[in-house]
Amino acid sequence: MPQSWTTRAETDADIPAVHAVHLAAFGRPEEADLVEALRADTGWIDGLSIVATGEDGTVVGHALLTRCHVDSTPALCLAPVAALPDRQKTGAGATAVRAALRAATSMGERFVVVLGHPEYYPRFGFGRASLHGIRLTVDVPDEALMALALDPAHPLPSGTVHYAAPFGI
């Protein structure tokens, strides 16, 4: 049976639930700890940490956009994204990603990069970043680094992605 999810910007009250979602989804603390570190970083943008909730208001998914740059051009980084294990493949994570991208667009943001599964992110419009001259300072599979222009009037910039410090890239 299809499930519907409600999305909204994270509140302070959601912080423990967001931590729990990432811990459960990844089975290790690194992604949950990354979210915590990003909250304290200058790359954090209020309103771009999005939770997906069930009918009872329980947080079941999360998507985070933080500031990065492609050379000197401001962009956003989509990471991490997670859903509780029993809610994976139900649209909870995808709903949070779509809501985050809408929120970013409404804030006037233009570009998003993601380092992730090349089978998952194209559904949101992401394409291979290397086709636009976008690269990292570390070696990753070419198909794993993707980019999206939120406003078709502004084509993707080229250059090296510079993530917020907590990413360590």
Side-chain angles (χ1 to χ4, degrees):
M1 169 180 262
Q3 298 182 353
S4 65
W5 308 107
T6 300
T7 58
R8 58 177 171 73
E10 170 191 287
T11 66
D12 288 345
D14 297 320
I15 291 172
V18 168
H19 188 89
V21 166
H22 286 282
L23 192 57
F26 291 100
R28 60 182 191 223
E30 286 83 2
E31 287 79 6
D33 292 346
L34 174 60
V35 174
E36 297 295 328
L38 287 166
R39 278 194 191 93
D41 189 82
T42 58
W44 184 267
I45 301 170
D46 287 335
L48 294 182
S49 178
I50 304 296
V51 296
T53 63
E55 290 180 8
D56 64 356
T58 301
V59 174
V60 298
H62 178 249
L64 179 60
L65 291 166
T66 53
R67 176 66 64 218
C68 70
H69 290 82
V70 178
D71 281 346
S72 62
T73 303
L76 297 172
C77 167
L78 174 59
V81 173
L84 290 173
D86 66 342
R87 302 300 163 83
Q88 292 173 3
K89 301 188 187 300
T90 67
T95 300
V97 169
R98 286 186 185 96
L101 295 173
R102 282 192 307 273
T105 302
S106 73
M107 291 179 172
E109 295 291 340
R110 295 183 177 167
F111 313 111
V112 182
V113 295
V114 65
L115 180 59
H117 296 287
E119 302 84 32
Y120 184 72
Y121 292 98
R123 74 184 73 190
F124 307 108
F126 285 92
R128 195 174 290 216
S130 63
L131 298 176
H132 304 278
I134 299 171
R135 61 197 168 280
L136 294 179
T137 58
V138 296
D139 288 332
V140 298
D142 185 58
E143 65 276 5
L145 181 63
M146 293 164 272
L148 170 67
L150 295 173
D151 178 352
H154 296 90
L156 287 163
S158 62
T160 302
V161 178
H162 303 280
Y163 288 94
F167 282 100
I169 298 176

